[in-house]
Amino acid sequence: MMGFLRMVTPPASPPAKRSRRQRRVRANGDGFPVFLPKEVKDIKDPFARALAQRIVRIPVPLQMGNFRGCVMSSCIKPIVQQHDKSPVVLLHCFDSSCLEWRRTYPLLEQASLETWAIDVLGWGFSDLGKLPPCDAASKRHHLFELWKTYIKRPMILVGPSLGATVAVDFTATYPEAVDKLVLINANAYSEGTGALKDLPKSIAYAGVKLLKSFPLRLLANVLAFSSPLSENIDWTNIGRLHCQMPWWEDAMVDFMISGGYNVASHIKHINQKTLVVCSENDQIVSNQLSVKLLCELKNAVFREVPDSGHLPHVENPKQFVKLISDFASGKIN
């Protein structure tokens, strides 16, 4: 796939053979990891197909509530780690996955940025057969344990929409783990899941099934993107692929009744240099909220991405990557 770095090495001795189990976990005949839902084969977007083939699971220790153990956590790992630069760590929107970064990730690698794309606990493609708590505190602690175990250096943490809320929540709790922040069309002023947390579980599960439905997801895509219908249909299938994971409904209900995120009071305590990004044509989060965020943060700059809606990293990846690259290098300050 064009855009992904390839490591070329001289011929050497044959690699050690993997066990049958390792080969089964790694990939099926189409190159996709076997833990991905079978519907991944129906995706047409070449960027999504290429990135899906790079999804791996890594063990992350987690102790929350009554859960004790390791979560096999899905992510996209960098090919090479650069210990002299801050790594870029990509979160995703509400109820999404690392495939959201399908058009941006290869460009970030081309820009020589060490880049991780992380599935937030309770979403994405992790192995949650034994379900841990999926509330905000567990999502935060899981990300910290992943950072502490594998990344180990202050990072440039990037979050779109609710992912920006996740990033603010994480940074307020673990400031030592974050070098800089990038908040995209940030949904940082929502007050959790509101009345949804008080729903009976039977009603909550019914609501989650509706959230999973193709028509509702397609409507969300039409609001987010100004793309042809055929492309929106494929992008809808990408956006709901993780909903086919067997634990997804349980994880969503757990998050819903936990109350979700409420981080507005944390914003003024964020000291890290922050790039606030908004889109010219966002139909989901008002640009006024980005301006409010800019004013409340202690050390922030503002940029607008033209010709894009709620997810500029999907619609205008080249412009977005330039912003990230310039921010990482200090050209934006």
Side-chain angles (χ1 to χ4, degrees):
M1 180 64 210
M2 184 181 302
F4 287 108
L5 298 177
R6 296 179 179 177
M7 297 184 68
V8 180
T9 56
S13 57
K17 291 183 178 180
R18 297 190 301 270
S19 69
R20 286 184 181 179
R21 181 178 181 277
Q22 286 174 317
R23 290 196 295 270
R24 286 199 306 270
V25 169
R26 185 175 181 81
N28 57 31
D30 296 300
F32 298 114
V34 295
F35 56 76
L36 294 183
K38 64 181 186 302
E39 289 84 357
V40 69
K41 299 176 184 178
D42 300 326
I43 290 173
K44 298 178 176 61
D45 186 310
F47 296 96
R49 291 179 66 88
L51 199 60
Q53 293 178 13
R54 288 187 58 181
I55 297 175
V56 297
R57 283 173 170 172
I58 56 178
V60 176
L62 187 65
Q63 296 186 20
M64 292 297 293
N66 294 324
F67 184 89
R68 298 289 186 276
C70 275
V71 174
M72 294 303 295
S73 305
S74 50
C75 66
I76 312 290
K77 294 173 62 177
I79 294 174
V80 178
Q81 289 186 261
Q82 303 170 354
H83 296 285
D84 59 333
K85 299 179 182 178
S86 296
V88 175
V89 176
L90 308 172
L91 305 178
H92 54 70
C93 292
F94 169 75
D95 190 25
S96 185
S97 76
C98 56
L99 290 180
E100 188 178 299
W101 295 99
R102 56 193 176 272
R103 299 198 167 196
T104 298
Y105 194 96
L107 297 179
L108 289 168
E109 286 195 321
Q110 283 185 352
S112 300
L113 292 170
E114 177 190 330
T115 306
W116 298 71
I118 306 296
D119 280 339
V120 177
L121 181 71
W123 297 314
F125 305 103
S126 299
D127 182 0
L128 302 183
K130 181 183 178 184
L131 190 70
C134 292
D135 58 347
S138 298
K139 293 179 190 296
R140 179 200 317 133
H141 186 59
H142 171 264
L143 178 57
F144 176 73
E145 290 294 337
L146 190 152
W147 172 83
K148 184 175 72 172
T149 305
Y150 297 99
I151 300 174
K152 302 177 182 178
R153 291 163 289 141
M155 56 187 167
I156 300 173
L157 188 58
V158 182
S161 194
L162 186 79
T165 304
V166 177
V168 169
D169 176 72
F170 180 86
T171 304
T173 307
Y174 302 111
E176 70 277 12
V178 180
D179 179 25
K180 296 180 179 180
L181 272 176
V182 181
L183 307 177
I184 310 156
N185 295 320
N187 187 15
Y189 295 98
S190 61
E191 297 181 357
T193 55
L196 296 177
K197 69 179 185 296
D198 299 320
L199 289 175
K201 274 199 171 183
S202 59
I203 304 299
Y205 272 98
V208 164
K209 288 181 184 295
L210 178 63
L211 180 63
K212 181 181 180 178
S213 69
F214 183 86
L216 187 63
R217 294 272 174 164
L218 179 60
L219 175 61
N221 269 265
V222 170
L223 290 174
F225 305 115
S226 54
S227 304
L229 179 60
S230 60
E231 191 169 65
N232 261 322
I233 288 174
D234 192 43
W235 287 4
T236 299
N237 288 330
I238 296 168
R240 67 191 291 269
L241 182 65
H242 69 285
C243 300
Q244 312 303 326
M245 299 299 289
W247 45 259
W248 176 80
E249 290 185 10
D250 295 330
M252 277 300 302
V253 168
D254 189 76
F255 175 71
M256 183 187 300
I257 65 178
S258 74
Y261 284 94
N262 192 336
V263 303
S265 62
H266 295 334
I267 293 171
K268 62 185 178 182
H269 300 298
I270 300 296
N271 296 314
Q272 282 79 357
K273 184 72 175 181
T274 304
L275 174 62
V276 176
V277 178
C278 78
S279 296
E280 182 180 20
N281 302 315
D282 190 354
Q283 301 299 311
I284 296 178
V285 174
S286 169
N287 289 357
Q288 293 179 357
L289 292 178
S290 294
V291 174
K292 181 180 179 181
L293 184 62
L294 174 71
C295 294
E296 292 191 6
L297 287 164
K298 293 180 179 179
N299 188 13
V301 292
F302 181 87
R303 293 293 186 273
E304 183 179 79
V305 181
D307 303 321
S308 63
H310 189 55
L311 302 181
H313 47 294
V314 177
E315 287 194 285
N316 197 341
K318 290 184 179 179
Q319 179 69 25
F320 180 77
V321 167
K322 186 177 188 309
L323 286 178
I324 297 293
S325 182
D326 287 350
F327 186 58
S329 67
K331 292 181 181 178
I332 295 177
N333 51 41

